[in-house]
Amino acid sequence: MTSQVSSPAEQADGTVVGEQRKPGGTKDVRRLDRVIIRFAGDSGDGMQLTGDRFTSETASFGNDLSTLPNFPAEIRAPAGTLPGVSSFQLHFADHDILTPGDAPNVLVAMNPAALKANIGDLPRGAEIIVNTDEFTKRALQKVGYGASPLEDGSLDGYNLHPVPLTTLTVEALKEFDLSRKEAERSKNMFALGLLSWMYHRPTEGTEKFLTSKFAKKPNIAAANIAAFRAGWNFGETTEDFAVSYEVAPAAKAFPVGTYRNISGNLALAYGLVSASQQADLPLFLGSYPITPASDILHELSKHKNFGVRTFQAEDEIAGIGAALGAAFGGSLAVTTTSGPGVALKSETIGLAVSLELPLLVVDIQRGGPSTGLPTKTEQADLLQAMFGRNGEAPVPVIAPKTPADCFDAALEAARIALTYRTPVFLLSDGYLANGSEPWRIPDLDELPDLRVQFASGPNHTLPDGTEVFWPYKRDPQTLARPWAIPGTPGLEHRIGGIEKQDGTGNISYDPANHEFMVRTRQAKIDGIEIPDIEVDDPHEAKTLVLGWGSTYGPITAAVRRLRAAGESIAQAHLRHLNPFPRNLGAVLERYDKVVVPEMNLGQLATLIRAKYLVDARSYNQVNGMPFKAEQLAAVLKEAIDD
């Protein structure tokens, strides 16, 4: 995810296998260039923690990686049921990659439900590690298995590894003063140890993590570490695993720098803190907890030392109301939410448009409508962000393309809000928010200067020579009005949602003034300075694939596959959705066909068709999951051949 250079492994369907050797004459070690692993089990089995720890060690090892956590919407779904399955997929490689992978090479299934929910995604020949202790008659019947798939031959096309994970974990922890139920909870650490052995992952970080996580319960910490080591030792000694695997660090994939693994929500939180520091303004977050945006509130609450103030409001309306008040008071103001919360915040967003104050509205999109699919991803809030307010209330809209890019998108949203005195929508989604990838930590001198000048005195001279402050006298370049901090002597002015007179800010019902103000607010948004869209077109293609937001990874991976197969196709990706880049119309005119993949029913395509009269072809998916590269490659090939 750190380079645009074509990669054979992104184009191939399977994992490339290298030479074999034997360390110490014991077990074979096979070199691979990439692996896709999926951990799956009940939502109480710790699959997210297991995947996160494997990811952290993989990041520290230096592989490029991309992850896809996938968990149920219910806080605690019934154990052993299909709706209760939680999974974590990790794709890691010795080169730059773009997606969490289409199909796992390895599935770790902690129970029959996990196996049944995920078996359809596995290619033939994949490795399956199952916890045989959970394959009881009752557990099998609960998910509709008439007979055990471990015994009926249905898994003959896979490399099946039946492992009594629960029994082995309890046996490994018999020296600890734990009940059987307490000991069983560590089976995910046993599985993590086994997979860490299989793929030569570092172990020190996980042991330090467990020691820290259970610092107040040293016996539990020691038990989890013991289970983790037992899993490693099991892999080393058992005859069932005759081969382990190496995936070398992605030494050539990354520019020089210091890297860490980061999720989209964490990157976004860090971007907001950085923006406040670069603007020399306190950061205020007014928020109401909602999946999948809550992590931003949790993270920002940890950074009071940077002048961050977080307010967990009683509802969505109060959250944005407090944020807008903080903007009026001179803070870099943010409110975070997801789609249903945006609907509740719409009136106050309209007020922010009228007041012309900087405000960041962060929408981590999820499946809708209404409560919809709280833990699944979607891109269906674009038109709501564009038009979901009464009256003519234009708002800039930007969207990050990868988890790490959420950091830069937050800085860009802050730049626009502060420079043009406007609320700004930042459209991330659940795929980016929960997924992770390596992120190069930027040097401070790479960050933009976001400092602003507050109004400090009169800015207008009346015909009689009197100097006064006009709150709606605009900067001729940006059309932004002055930002006057409450309490500044001589700068008293009215605020509120009723239309203001141009310049003076007095309440006005004059029809001509209203039309002027409406057109001026639109002109301010239209005039925002943004970069031209860049087109990746090395072969002068006739077909362009245009994307936005989190579709970047799957689209780019699909484009790589097609080019490796000799096809000619161009790619462009939008960060700025309102206003569009000034050269977008000219770019679209160069191509015979324009394909727009979206995780909605064609919202960007609708905007493109309306504005540029281009016959944009939609390819849409709204199943709560991101596109697969192979799927998009097939669709784009059809478009090229059509």
Side-chain angles (χ1 to χ4, degrees), residues 24-47:
T26 53
K27 294 191 176 184
D28 288 342
V29 178
R30 188 170 301 165
R31 289 191 174 183
L32 309 176
D33 73 339
R34 66 176 182 132
V35 174
I36 304 168
I37 298 175
R38 184 181 296 176
F39 299 92
D42 267 335
S43 56
D45 283 340
M47 294 296 93

